[in-house]
Amino acid sequence: MPTTLYPAKSMNPELRTTAALGKFHAAAQAQPNIALVKYWGKRDVVLNLPTTGSISITLDSLWTRTEVRFVPGQAHDRVSLNGRSDAAETKRVVACLDLLRQRAAVDWGAEVDSRNNFPTAAGLASSASGFAALVRAGAQALDLGLDETELSMLARRCSGSATRSIFGGYVEWTRGRLADGSDSVALPLLPADAWPLRVAVAVTSIAAKQIGSSEGMRHTAQSSPFQASWVATQPADLTTARNAILARDFDALALVSEHSCLKMHALALAAQPGLLYWNGATVECMHCVRTLRRQGVPVFFTIDAGPQLKAVCAPSAIGQVKAALREIPGVLHVLDSGLGAGACVIAIGALEA
């Protein structure tokens, strides 16, 4: 669906002179990240500044691949997401492209083709990987020369959790204090290969969730009686999780991750009206993971704003964890992923792979 482009105030003269060379075309891949210490709430909705910090892991086998081509003289953006057009998502993509165009001082329309190899808008962080890939590809296409911190800030403007998918492995997104958001960026804590845990994702629904994360955060902050406690207890959780990651302490990370997950969902459940992102299979998966851990299996769960459960485990336990989750009625299938790298530029045409 063509979307009207917001023109830039001026055009970068260097880019104008090279427009005929057929540049301004790039592709990138990014992976979703799974928050272990959750982010739920914004102190600034325009800049996507979080109420609290968060810590996540970036996956490797789930991905978004996005190709961006800026076309000098084109007045509209054309956006394809998984082979179709979606008005709401196109609006978000155009807003992200505008940030890139503003940096480059151009007013060119863009052709965007983005695809996931996992369900979209279903609680699997497709927004995080999608906008991280879009920013990485768009910045490359316009030759902006941005470092990862600058990419992280731009990605945050498009989708809060996308700021973490710029980086791989274990990542912390700092809350920041400044009103302009310049100190609210993601920082790598530990490379993926330094502690190569695995993640089994129990997919219990492929339907898009009825209440998106941004709307859920706003509603929760306005009506949940637990909001103040959520904010007050977050620094301690961040410290505990950070220390556990740096020490490779699985048991400590398991406890704080499940605690943060359940607190976030309790916060949403207590809103008025309450937000329920789980289904029956989600709850049974939680019981399954708890049972496995009592039996000595190194595994814990976390769940974002959706019905999919992510079971984080030691590499030696992945087979047993996947087998147990597959036995639960309502689990459609179980995805298996290690921890992966951050957003990167890939070959043009890789979307067909």
Side-chain angles (χ1 to χ4, degrees):
M1 177 183 296
T3 303
T4 301
L5 179 71
Y6 296 98
K9 293 182 179 179
S10 61
M11 181 179 287
N12 185 316
E14 182 179 351
L15 291 181
R16 185 193 298 116
T17 59
T18 58
L21 299 180
K23 296 183 179 180
F24 323 122
H25 186 194
Q29 175 174 308
Q31 287 73 240
N33 67 79
I34 304 302
L36 302 182
V37 176
K38 302 297 188 185
Y39 138 67
W40 192 252
K42 301 178 182 181
R43 60 186 175 92
D44 187 308
V45 296
V46 175
L47 297 177
N48 272 339
L49 301 180
T51 304
T52 65
S54 56
I55 289 176
S56 65
I57 48 177
T58 302
L59 304 183
D60 66 353
S61 64
L62 309 184
W63 48 254
T64 299
R65 291 175 180 167
T66 300
E67 196 166 324
V68 179
R69 183 197 301 270
F70 288 94
V71 184
Q74 180 170 304
H76 299 83
D77 296 318
R78 296 181 178 87
V79 178
S80 173
L81 303 175
N82 293 312
R84 64 182 182 85
S85 177
D86 179 273
E89 282 303 305
T90 293
K91 184 176 180 180
R92 295 182 69 191
V93 168
V94 170
C96 189
L97 292 170
D98 284 344
L99 294 175
L100 294 165
R101 283 187 282 252
Q102 184 178 24
R103 285 288 189 109
V106 300
D107 60 357
W108 307 330
E111 308 281 346
V112 177
D113 187 5
S114 185
R115 303 181 194 180
N116 300 326
N117 71 339
F118 61 96
T120 301
L124 284 171
S126 59
S127 178
S129 57
F131 283 102
L134 178 63
V135 166
R136 194 76 172 86
Q140 179 72 19
L142 292 173
D143 196 23
L144 293 179
L146 304 179
D147 63 24
E148 287 183 321
T149 298
E150 292 171 307
L151 290 171
S152 176
M153 283 192 285
L154 272 176
R156 186 205 71 224
R157 293 282 304 275
C158 305
S159 169
S161 56
T163 191
R164 298 186 305 239
S165 279
I166 295 295
F167 297 95
Y170 300 80
V171 182
E172 180 168 0
W173 176 16
T174 58
R175 177 191 185 277
R177 299 289 176 182
L178 300 178
D180 66 359
S182 58
D183 60 343
S184 181
V185 296
L187 303 167
L189 284 177
L190 195 69
D193 59 3
W195 194 18
L197 299 179
R198 297 200 65 83
V199 183
V201 182
V203 178
T204 66
S205 173
I206 59 172
K209 55 195 178 189
Q210 294 183 348
I211 305 294
S213 296
S214 293
E215 173 59 21
M217 290 180 196
R218 182 198 62 78
H219 176 68
T220 300
Q222 291 178 349
S223 64
S224 178
F226 301 154
Q227 179 70 17
S229 294
W230 166 255
V231 174
T233 58
Q234 196 78 342
D237 288 349
L238 289 167
T239 298
T240 299
R242 190 184 309 116
N243 290 342
I245 290 167
L246 296 178
R248 283 70 153 179
D249 186 336
F250 187 90
D251 290 339
L253 187 60
L255 291 175
V256 70
S257 296
E258 288 191 3
H259 185 52
S260 180
C261 168
L262 294 175
K263 279 198 299 182
M264 187 199 89
H265 285 278
L267 180 72
L269 283 166
Q272 185 59 262
L275 303 179
L276 179 57
Y277 287 106
W278 302 337
N279 56 34
T282 313
V283 176
E284 291 306 313
C285 286
M286 286 190 275
H287 287 306
C288 174
V289 170
R290 288 277 179 91
T291 297
L292 287 172
R293 195 158 73 250
R294 284 195 296 269
Q295 293 171 350
V297 179
V299 61
F300 65 87
F301 67 76
T302 189
I303 309 161
D304 292 322
Q308 330 301 356
L309 178 135
K310 295 86 176 178
V312 183
C313 65
S316 60
I318 188 65
Q320 184 176 0
V321 171
K322 287 168 58 180
L325 291 173
R326 287 192 183 111
E327 293 298 316
I328 297 173
V331 172
L332 304 179
H333 56 279
V334 179
L335 306 174
D336 177 2
S337 179
L339 305 191
C344 63
V345 174
I346 57 176
I348 299 296
L351 272 70
E352 302 302 328

